[in-house]
Amino acid sequence: MELQAQQPTEEGGSIQAAGSSNRWAPTPPQLRILKGLYYDKGFKYPTPEQNQEICLHLKQYGQIEDKNVFFSFQNLKARERQKLKEFRNVRVGGSLDLNFGSTSSTDDGRSIDLNFGSTGSTSTDRSIDLNFGSRVGYGVDGSIMEQRGEYHQEIETLPLFPMHGEDIFGNMKTTSEGGSGYGGGSRISLEPSLNSYGNADIA
Amino acid sequence: MELQAQQPTEEGGSIQAAGSSNRWAPTPPQLRILKGLYYDKGFKYPTPEQNQEICLHLKQYGQIEDKNVFFSFQNLKARERQKLKEFRNVRVGGSLDLNFGSTSSTDDGRSIDLNFGSTGSTSTDRSIDLNFGSRVGYGVDGSIMEQRGEYHQEIETLPLFPMHGEDIFGNMKTTSEGGSGYGGGSRISLEPSLNSYGNADIA
DNA sequence: AATGTATGAATGAAGG
DNA sequence: CCTTCATTCATACATT
């Protein structure tokens, strides 16, 4: 493991104004939508294409990049697990032999889904509805907090499965993500399947 | 420090329950043991088993949860690095306070003692061997990762906790951990790294 | 009481 | 997917 010096690295390309943090900070709408997708819709395994769509949509609410969406889902998933389970930090093949007995062999590790899991489509409506419930109860500790009844909820629908390459927003900026072209269905130089579809058996 | 406007996070961060500060506060013994483990023993990468073990032990000294132990080590490490970085930046004349281990014993009538009984040579060595010096860490089957230790550390095998006859297998906390034995080989790591997110394209 | 510091906790990001 | 790092927020506590 090489040490990573995450120095600020004053790169001139920071989107943020000088002085602000370099790392992305989700705006409330962005956060709400992302969490709603994950929790309310049970949408946990977005493909890169879907990430792009989500990102594109969320750009209405502030600066955001694809990787932010990607990391959001990754972290949501990881932390949900850590919360539901018990701070697992498993390391296989460790030298520190703390192997006490061999009890607790009922390892699950992947049954913590709420429900949903409908990565498919509703036959007629092939879009992810972003109008999830308004109640947010996903505190870090399960604490229930009330939500201000003031916030307006914008009704929106994000197409997750573009049929013809055109989204409902008229945003066709696909294939212009930097030349890599990992999205848009034209993955040429990338690995076969990097999305988590292969192991979406958690549902 | 100047007061900075806090991001109006919807669910994350500032959703703290009003009125009650539920933040865990380590008792002197807990703090001492934790710091002792980290500094004196150079124990910085606890596995979940060790994490739970530590937590269990520390429960004699007050309320504590797994995540508290987890965060403690995380923070301990983070602050250490942070401080070290600052020192190097300023190159201050010594006085790097490595005086950890035993802070002034605040005799609050609860003299703590790390003098646990012998682990007892039951069958499995459940004492955490912290003789790390230059030992290899937990590599996965082949990768050798050395523990980073940058200061003195007494090479000794000190029994972490007193065996009260209780075993760590009996989880008396949450329902059923069910996640101890994860290294059962159910993890497949034949996964590609990431998407094309490495570009870090800043708009 | 206000300011500063220490530190628990949360989270974005990265590495493997 | 899992673990870890860095940064930041929020608060308990100490100092003035």
Side-chain angles (χ1 to χ4, degrees):
Chain A
M1 178 188 298
E2 57 276 5
L3 287 179
Q4 50 154 351
Q6 285 193 197
Q7 291 293 335
T9 62
E10 55 291 328
E11 44 189 350
S14 295
I15 333 94
Q16 307 285 332
S20 298
S21 304
N22 295 349
R23 85 178 192 182
W24 168 71
T27 64
Q30 287 173 342
L31 218 157
R32 179 172 53 79
I33 292 171
L34 283 169
K35 283 197 171 186
L37 270 175
Y38 185 82
Y39 288 110
D40 296 334
K41 310 294 289 188
F43 191 66
K44 303 183 177 184
Y45 300 93
T47 64
E49 292 77 19
Q50 291 166 338
N51 270 339
Q52 225 176 23
E53 280 299 317
I54 295 169
C55 175
L56 218 53
H57 177 71
L58 291 181
K59 278 186 176 173
Q60 302 174 107
Y61 307 106
Q63 205 280 333
I64 190 174
E65 298 175 41
D66 289 352
K67 66 172 188 177
N68 302 130
V69 178
F70 175 80
F71 283 134
S72 291
F73 277 94
Q74 285 292 115
N75 283 321
L76 278 172
K77 226 183 314 185
R79 264 129 201 176
E80 181 187 38
R81 254 182 172 158
Q82 289 187 355
K83 251 84 174 190
L84 291 180
K85 292 171 67 62
E86 294 188 74
F87 270 75
R88 59 200 304 267
N89 257 331
V90 180
R91 267 175 169 156
V92 279
S95 299
L96 287 175
D97 189 23
L98 258 287
N99 188 6
F100 15 61
S102 54
T103 3
S104 68
S105 53
T106 54
D107 185 351
D108 178 291
R110 52 203 311 172
S111 308
I112 21 123
D113 200 328
L114 308 180
N115 40 41
F116 316 112
S118 58
T119 0
S121 50
T122 333
S123 65
T124 51
D125 189 350
R126 296 195 301 186
S127 58
I128 277 204
D129 183 28
L130 295 169
N131 317 312
F132 9 83
S134 47
R135 52 171 296 116
V136 246
Y138 312 107
V140 289
D141 201 28
S143 54
I144 305 174
M145 51 246 172
E146 48 187 338
Q147 168 83 21
R148 306 178 305 275
E150 297 287 1
Y151 83 100
H152 57 69
Q153 179 164 346
E154 46 284 314
I155 309 300
E156 55 226 327
T157 303
L158 177 64
L160 277 173
F161 308 100
M163 297 176 258
H164 302 85
E166 182 181 357
D167 61 355
I168 58 177
F169 305 114
N171 299 326
M172 277 201 61
K173 76 177 296 295
T174 48
T175 68
S176 62
E177 214 59 29
S180 295
Y182 78 94
S186 61
R187 48 171 186 267
I188 27 185
S189 60
L190 262 295
E191 308 86 329
S193 61
L194 40 77
N195 43 46
S196 307
Y197 270 14
N199 43 16
D201 54 334
I202 50 106
Chain B
M1 180 182 293
E2 64 280 10
L3 172 82
Q4 60 183 56
Q6 177 187 347
Q7 290 273 353
T9 45
E10 207 167 337
E11 294 91 45
S14 66
I15 15 78
Q16 195 222 348
S20 47
S21 48
N22 294 333
R23 161 167 126 170
W24 169 70
T27 63
Q30 287 174 343
L31 192 66
R32 195 183 92 117
I33 293 171
L34 284 170
K35 284 196 171 185
L37 271 175
Y38 184 83
Y39 290 111
D40 296 333
K41 311 296 293 181
F43 191 61
K44 303 183 178 183
Y45 297 91
T47 63
E49 289 79 24
Q50 293 165 337
N51 225 0
Q52 287 186 287
E53 225 179 304
I54 295 169
C55 177
L56 254 179
H57 172 68
L58 293 181
K59 275 187 176 175
Q60 323 175 82
Y61 307 109
Q63 200 272 334
I64 191 174
E65 295 176 45
D66 284 353
K67 69 174 195 174
N68 302 129
V69 179
F70 176 80
F71 282 134
S72 290
F73 278 94
Q74 286 290 117
N75 282 322
L76 242 30
K77 195 168 173 189
R79 316 280 191 214
E80 183 184 42
R81 272 195 182 167
Q82 180 178 282
K83 289 296 192 293
L84 213 63
K85 190 172 69 178
E86 291 176 4
F87 276 126
R88 294 194 60 168
N89 188 14
V90 184
R91 193 161 303 158
V92 72
S95 122
L96 207 171
D97 184 27
L98 285 176
N99 187 13
F100 316 105
S102 56
T103 7
S104 58
S105 43
T106 54
D107 297 301
D108 57 340
R110 192 178 187 179
S111 3
I112 7 88
D113 49 12
L114 208 44
N115 183 9
F116 319 115
S118 313
T119 311
S121 48
T122 318
S123 56
T124 49
D125 176 71
R126 53 183 303 282
S127 62
I128 295 186
D129 180 56
L130 297 165
N131 308 326
F132 71 120
S134 59
R135 66 186 298 175
V136 288
Y138 355 76
V140 186
D141 182 50
S143 53
I144 299 177
M145 298 186 283
E146 54 180 354
Q147 272 272 11
R148 302 186 276 283
E150 39 262 320
Y151 33 73
H152 65 84
Q153 64 273 109
E154 304 109 61
I155 311 297
E156 60 176 313
T157 308
L158 178 130
L160 238 194
F161 319 122
M163 272 176 70
H164 299 184
E166 298 290 336
D167 62 294
I168 51 258
F169 324 113
N171 304 90
M172 37 180 135
K173 295 186 307 176
T174 57
T175 51
S176 62
E177 117 180 284
S180 288
Y182 182 71
S186 33
R187 169 138 54 115
I188 308 173
S189 303
L190 40 83
E191 180 182 357
S193 56
L194 198 72
N195 300 341
S196 308
Y197 292 134
N199 50 29
D201 182 7
I202 45 245

